[in-house]
Amino acid sequence: MKILKVGLLGFGQIGSALYTMLQSKNSYFKNELGVRFEITRIAVLNPKKKRTVKIPKHLLAKNAVEIIDDPAIDVIVELVGGTRDARSFVLKALRSGKHVVTANKALLAEHGDEIFHAAQRLNRWICFESSVGGGIPVMKSLREGLVANRIDSIYAIINGTSNYILSEMTEKGTDFREALAEAQKEGYAEADPTLDIEGVDAAHKLAILVRFAFGGKVKFKDIYCEGISRIRKEDIDFAEEFGYRVKLLAIAKASQDGIEARVQPTLLPEAHILANVTGAYNAVFLRGDEVGNVLLYGRGAGPKPTASAVLADLMDIAQRESVRSENSGMLMRGIRKSLRIKSISSILSRYYLRFHVVDKPGVLAHISRVLGKHRISISDVIQRERNLRSVVPLILLTHDAHEKDVRNAIREIDRQAIVRGKSQVIRIEEGAKTS
Ligand code: HSE
């Protein structure tokens, strides 16, 4: 019987779900899988706080370092979030000979080099399945099930909150704020929800995916990131008229001269498999050179799915400890060389452009002339009925164009008196082929 002694740092929604899961399933793990997990200590900010989950008082400690230093503990589960304290706790835990399980994508995206190198050097396991895609076994699939493959592309919905908001706006016509409040109530959103709606949470997860799918170090700041806070209901409606849905996608594609890695609102054909991933669900759609397309789908946020992935990591550690295998393979793949992430201005894409324009003769001709001057060709147009007293929306879809040209053209168009407000630019992806 393998006994794994676990120290928990943080006891919020995920920690509570993990504790409850262990309470109810430990005999199954023990009897059928030969492992017993013991939550030995739990570090909390306020030991006196009233909690929904009942825990024996002696387990609670105020001082995380005391738990990290406890020689009886094998694994530290870091669930404190943020990057400052979490970074020092994780490094300290590795140095004091503990394995680490963390759900902290911000930490791994921003300090991954330091943390993965430390784990490698100290020959300790660092497991982070729950950091990407909640309960979906994404890292395990990359590490084990897809090991035979070179990954060519990843298209992923990896922020449950944004997907929930866009789905509510699409299906029920709900207002942005109302949908966000609901996502927060369900426990999907980050403590600071701007990380969700500005695409930062998805970019953190993409940084981890890129590191281990394409094999190399990634600078977080090289990942282009744009969230959904500027998406209006009218954009969702116009996209629908053209046969598209708006999704927040994390995209990574390998090419000869580097890797495209970006998070952006995207128009996806409504029949595309990812266009039909709704609510807080996540999906990672990737293409391997041997296997072809793979779709990993499931609950990407929420306490129980996340705790389910934390538990999978604990089980992995227990099993690896039993066979005493070395900490090499995947970590080495993510830290040996540096990946070249291409600048956003060099990408080629189709675009949805929405302008609010004064309704008078020559406006459409003028805008298309500016686009033409910047080598941008139009594939489709919607111009709403006349409204002589105010502005009207003018929607243009383009053929493939260079991002640099689109930015220059929009800057020029937005300066014209016929255009009111800031124009909307959403990239269209047809390339995420499902066949
Ligand atoms: N805030 C995240 C989301 C939670 O909405 O997907 C899981 O990382």
Side-chain angles (χ1 to χ4, degrees):
M1 164 82 56
K2 175 82 198 161
I3 299 173
L4 206 70
K5 298 206 175 194
V6 179
L8 265 190
L9 309 186
F11 200 69
Q13 297 200 51
I14 303 169
S16 309
L18 179 69
Y19 187 84
T20 311
M21 197 183 299
L22 281 178
Q23 294 283 90
S24 64
K25 301 218 170 105
N26 230 345
S27 61
Y28 156 71
F29 295 133
K30 202 165 67 184
N31 300 337
E32 302 205 17
L33 304 175
V35 180
R36 199 174 86 215
F37 299 104
E38 271 181 29
I39 296 200
T40 313
R41 302 295 300 280
I42 305 174
V44 290
L45 278 178
N46 176 10
K48 297 214 171 85
K49 187 175 148 187
K50 266 205 167 346
R51 298 169 198 281
T52 44
V53 177
K54 263 197 154 352
I55 18 176
K57 276 214 171 53
H58 72 270
L59 292 189
L60 294 180
K62 230 183 131 175
N63 188 349
V65 174
E66 200 184 295
I67 297 184
I68 293 169
D69 285 340
D70 185 339
I73 289 175
D74 304 302
V75 187
I76 293 293
V77 176
E78 183 275 307
L79 298 172
V80 292
T83 52
R84 210 195 48 194
D85 291 346
R87 173 178 163 270
S88 82
F89 292 157
V90 165
L91 289 172
K92 194 164 175 25
L94 293 169
R95 277 190 221 112
S96 64
K98 312 279 192 287
H99 302 294
V100 171
V101 174
T102 177
N104 194 329
K105 52 259 154 159
L107 177 70
L108 300 180
E110 290 170 24
H111 300 284
D113 289 343
E114 184 184 24
I115 288 170
F116 295 130
H117 271 293
Q120 182 70 29
R121 197 178 60 246
L122 298 159
N123 201 24
R124 296 292 87 192
W125 295 104
I126 172 133
C127 297
F128 43 93
E129 184 63 74
S130 53
S131 66
V132 182
I136 313 170
V138 182
M139 298 316 302
K140 203 172 178 69
S141 300
L142 280 174
R143 193 171 66 224
E144 295 174 17
L146 297 169
V147 69
N149 291 264
R150 187 194 64 223
I151 304 298
D152 295 328
S153 63
I154 301 174
Y155 294 86
I157 293 176
I158 40 178
N159 184 262
T161 302
S162 300
N163 203 48
Y164 184 88
I165 293 173
L166 291 174
S167 304
E168 292 285 293
M169 288 169 78
T170 306
E171 289 161 20
K172 302 188 193 145
T174 312
D175 139 77
F176 183 90
R177 295 283 143 204
E178 206 182 318
L180 171 62
E182 195 59 31
Q184 285 175 296
K185 206 176 97 203
E186 294 291 331
Y188 304 143
E190 297 302 301
D192 171 5
T194 49
L195 294 178
D196 295 300
I197 61 177
E198 298 305 343
V200 183
D201 175 75
H204 283 147
K205 294 165 181 168
L206 184 63
I208 299 169
L209 275 178
V210 166
R211 181 187 285 269
F212 294 104
F214 296 100
K217 293 188 272 189
V218 181
K219 286 201 193 82
F220 178 64
K221 67 170 180 46
D222 290 345
I223 295 187
Y224 175 79
C225 169
E226 190 183 316
I228 62 165
S229 62
R230 286 194 66 241
I231 301 294
R232 299 283 162 266
K233 180 77 179 76
E234 63 176 337
D235 296 317
I236 290 179
D237 294 342
F238 286 125
E240 202 171 355
E241 285 190 40
F242 287 113
Y244 293 96
R245 299 228 175 103
V246 181
K247 290 284 174 195
L248 184 73
L249 285 196
I251 299 173
K253 303 181 208 178
S255 69
Q256 293 283 328
D257 55 345
I259 288 163
E260 273 180 35
R262 55 198 149 96
V263 170
Q264 56 174 55
T266 311
L267 260 64
L268 267 181
E270 63 192 8
H272 194 281
I273 223 163
L274 290 180
N276 294 287
V277 173
T278 57
Y281 275 86
N282 279 197
V284 178
F285 180 65
L286 50 82
R287 185 184 282 271
D289 64 339
E290 305 292 346
V291 71
N293 287 333
V294 172
L295 177 72
L296 303 164
Y297 169 86
R299 289 190 192 277
K304 283 187 177 188
T306 311
S308 152
V310 169
L311 210 135
D313 279 345
L314 288 174
M315 182 57 84
D316 253 1
I317 289 174
Q319 284 171 349
R320 290 172 197 174
E321 276 278 279
S322 307
V323 293
R324 295 188 181 282
S325 63
E326 297 230 323
N327 189 359
S328 56
M330 186 179 69
L331 273 195
M332 284 308 282
R333 184 166 158 71
I335 57 182
R336 198 180 274 141
K337 60 174 186 191
S338 294
L339 295 173
R340 181 174 127 60
I341 306 291
K342 289 165 75 172
S343 138
I344 187 73
S345 60
S346 69
I347 72 153
L348 192 67
S349 176
R350 291 190 62 210
Y351 292 82
Y352 161 103
L353 308 175
R354 189 249 297 143
F355 307 99
H356 282 162
V357 293
V358 173
D359 195 5
K360 66 178 195 189
V363 169
L364 179 55
H366 183 72
I367 289 181
S368 33
R369 206 164 35 246
V370 178
L371 293 175
K373 192 175 90 188
H374 289 276
R375 297 167 290 277
I376 299 161
S377 150
I378 297 166
S379 71
D380 229 326
V381 182
I382 295 181
Q383 151 91 76
R384 275 286 157 258
E385 284 154 33
R386 298 208 74 176
N387 183 347
L388 293 174
R389 267 167 312 169
S390 68
V391 292
V392 287
L394 170 66
I395 321 297
L396 302 175
L397 301 195
T398 76
H399 289 297
D400 268 345
H402 285 284
E403 174 89 16
K404 184 164 43 64
D405 292 335
V406 173
R407 289 186 181 206
N408 289 336
I410 295 295
R411 208 171 300 126
E412 187 171 335
I413 292 169
D414 278 357
R415 278 201 301 264
Q416 315 284 323
I418 50 165
V419 175
R420 299 290 152 80
K422 211 164 168 295
S423 302
Q424 177 69 290
V425 180
I426 309 178
R427 296 175 197 87
I428 304 174
E429 280 290 339
E430 318 264 5
K433 297 261 184 317
T434 39
S435 55

